[in-house]
Amino acid sequence: MAHANSVAVIGLGRFGASLALELMSSGTSVLGIDLDEDIVQSLNGELTQVVRADATKREALEQLSLNEFDRVVVAIGNHLQASILTCSKLLSMDIPHVWAKALDDQHGLILEQLGVHHIIYPEKDMGRRVAHLVRGSMMDYLEIDRGFAMVKMTTPKVLQGLKLGDSNLRKHYGVTVAARTNDEGRWQHADAQTVLKPGDRILVLGPISDTEAFGQLPD
Ligand code: ADP
């Protein structure tokens, strides 16, 4: 396996398997590793290579030439000890980008203290995202980074029928409309001349609290 455009995924549970398959579909080579023989069998042929191994064992990781990978994802969540041991071994092998899934904040803190480069909180992040969708009129919600978010929503009444340039949107609501759907439903950039109609979908960017408040406006 050429390792430059390759990712190793350790732990092929629901999260790891879905991640590995998505990477494959976007043209990345994936080495999948799991302790469970049935899981390895079920993904055989779906990934570039699938191997049964105990990732907490340094010899196993060395045998699989994990040190030659730039990016390794530890998708073991429910087995805290295995997650910590695996991350610690990978870090001692000087892999430049170790990603690891944390089940909760405590788990995340330990991974951070170990020096894991990227920590993912899939359950927590998804819960927060769905909460935004359930609560209001937003169609999609994505936290971009600490404090900033992007929201897909239908045009609220306050924006309908006037040029975005005249709406004082940033001053009044702290947000920016980056894109809108046209009559065929296709996305295009929004600019100062854009006039939005009822039913148009828009992509709004801004600080979390502002996008949340804006997302609740009636349409
Ligand atoms: P999910 O919630 O995404 O299904 P889990 O944390 O339950 O994730 O699953 C993690 C996967 O990691 C399981 O398939 C399990 O067999 C695997 N696993 C656990 N310990 C090890 C280990 N030491 N080495 C390799 N794989 C492991």
Side-chain angles (χ1 to χ4, degrees):
M1 188 185 276
H3 299 301
N5 188 29
S6 308
V7 175
V9 179
I10 301 177
L12 301 167
R14 290 159 304 171
F15 175 77
S18 140
L19 171 80
L21 291 168
E22 188 64 26
L23 285 167
M24 286 297 292
S25 73
S26 58
T28 304
S29 309
V30 178
L31 165 64
I33 299 167
D34 202 288
L35 199 54
D36 186 311
E37 183 61 38
D38 290 341
I39 289 185
V40 170
Q41 285 297 331
S42 71
L43 284 166
N44 204 3
E46 307 278 335
L47 307 181
T48 315
Q49 201 182 346
V50 198
V51 180
R52 187 192 166 277
D54 182 352
T56 62
K57 303 273 189 294
R58 192 181 166 107
E59 314 81 72
L61 298 176
E62 274 170 359
Q63 241 171 31
L64 292 166
S65 305
L66 267 265
N67 56 314
E68 290 173 25
F69 281 76
D70 277 348
R71 294 165 291 169
V72 179
V73 183
V74 181
I76 305 172
N78 291 310
H79 312 260
L80 186 64
Q81 191 175 338
S83 158
I84 295 167
L85 284 172
T86 302
C87 287
S88 145
K89 302 279 157 55
L90 292 169
L91 291 166
S92 72
M93 292 165 81
D94 288 330
I95 291 161
H97 296 284
V98 175
W99 295 72
K101 159 180 150 168
L103 268 197
D104 52 33
D105 288 342
Q106 266 184 318
H107 185 180
L109 182 64
I110 297 170
L111 297 179
E112 200 180 309
Q113 285 168 340
L114 273 177
V116 171
H117 312 105
H118 313 272
I119 302 169
I120 327 149
Y121 299 87
E123 265 119 22
K124 198 173 138 192
D125 289 351
M126 187 52 90
R128 285 168 64 144
R129 182 159 167 239
V130 173
H132 283 95
L133 306 184
V134 170
R135 199 170 53 206
S137 53
M138 301 179 195
M139 304 163 81
D140 210 345
Y141 173 90
L142 181 70
E143 249 173 64
I144 311 222
D145 205 346
R146 269 161 241 218
F148 224 70
M150 184 169 77
V151 171
K152 183 170 98 177
M153 60 187 285
T154 45
T155 303
K157 226 184 196 78
V158 293
L159 276 192
Q160 293 169 11
L162 74 164
K163 279 189 197 160
L164 275 180
D166 298 334
S167 67
N168 267 329
L169 192 58
R170 196 133 359 133
K171 185 160 160 249
H172 289 322
Y173 298 99
V175 300
T176 308
V177 175
R180 53 88 64 99
T181 50
N182 64 12
D183 292 339
E184 287 92 54
R186 253 188 247 123
W187 286 97
Q188 53 186 208
H189 292 293
D191 57 33
Q193 302 306 317
T194 302
V195 179
L196 296 165
K197 299 189 305 304
D200 283 351
R201 293 172 179 197
I202 53 174
L203 213 51
V204 178
L205 291 167
I208 289 175
S209 53
D210 294 326
T211 48
E212 275 175 353
F214 194 75
Q216 307 303 319
L217 291 175
D219 53 10

